[in-house]
Amino acid sequence: MYKTAILFYDGDCALCNISVQFVIDHEIKTTTPLLFCSLQSAYAKQILSKYNYNFTELSTLVLWVDDKIFYRSDAALNLSKYLKIPYNWLFILKIFPKFIRDSIYKYVAKNRKILIKTPFCYMPSADIKKRFIG
């Protein structure tokens, strides 16, 4: 599949943490597993500063795959390639223009505190914990 893939997410966001848990529970098992990293970490700053990432935008999902970077809806849809059927079919939504997809993404990101009202604390197993960077 890919050599390196890291999903950067807002570590302080319950919706983001639930999304990471969803990916872990529904991902395709590969020899190169997807890694996870909080946008607030030093490692994220080290990697994403090379791409001029605006670290005030913590509500943005970022996917780094083989030195390519994807933001917002592009990140989510490329992330779907790592998921089992039927979730990997979400990639077909790329047929919609980016400005429409990103508008929906930004709306959900802006209202995430309304969507998820309770804090979420994910406690990964030892094997999964190794896949979290920073």
Side-chain angles (χ1 to χ4, degrees), residues 1-115:
M1 184 173 250
Y2 301 109
K3 295 177 193 167
T4 305
I6 302 173
L7 176 64
F8 294 94
Y9 64 98
D10 181 353
D12 294 331
C13 168
L15 180 59
C16 296
N17 283 288
I18 289 170
S19 299
V20 167
Q21 175 65 47
F22 180 86
V23 169
I24 290 169
D25 290 345
H26 296 92
E27 69 185 328
I28 298 168
K29 304 302 179 209
T30 64
T31 56
T32 308
L34 182 64
L35 302 176
F36 305 94
C37 185
S38 167
L39 284 167
Q40 290 89 344
S41 72
Y43 187 79
K45 288 176 178 52
Q46 175 188 344
I47 296 295
L48 298 178
S49 63
K50 297 174 189 174
Y51 299 91
N52 298 317
Y53 178 72
N54 180 358
F55 285 94
T56 61
E57 286 191 43
L58 294 178
S59 62
T60 301
L61 191 65
V62 180
L63 182 63
W64 185 62
V65 179
D66 294 339
D67 292 325
K68 291 179 192 150
I69 196 113
F70 302 96
Y71 301 99
R72 296 180 193 84
S73 66
D74 280 339
L77 294 177
N78 280 290
L79 181 62
S80 73
K81 293 178 183 178
Y82 288 87
L83 303 178
K84 297 175 185 172
I85 294 173
Y87 306 106
N88 60 1
W89 297 342
L90 291 172
F91 190 75
I92 198 161
L93 295 175
K94 286 271 263 192
I95 63 171
F96 293 103
K98 183 174 171 52
F99 77 92
I100 292 173
R101 292 184 281 118
D102 279 353
S103 295
I104 295 168
Y105 182 94
K106 288 175 185 177
Y107 177 80
V108 171
K110 182 179 176 185
N111 294 292
R112 61 190 173 165
K113 291 186 172 107
I114 296 168
L115 296 169

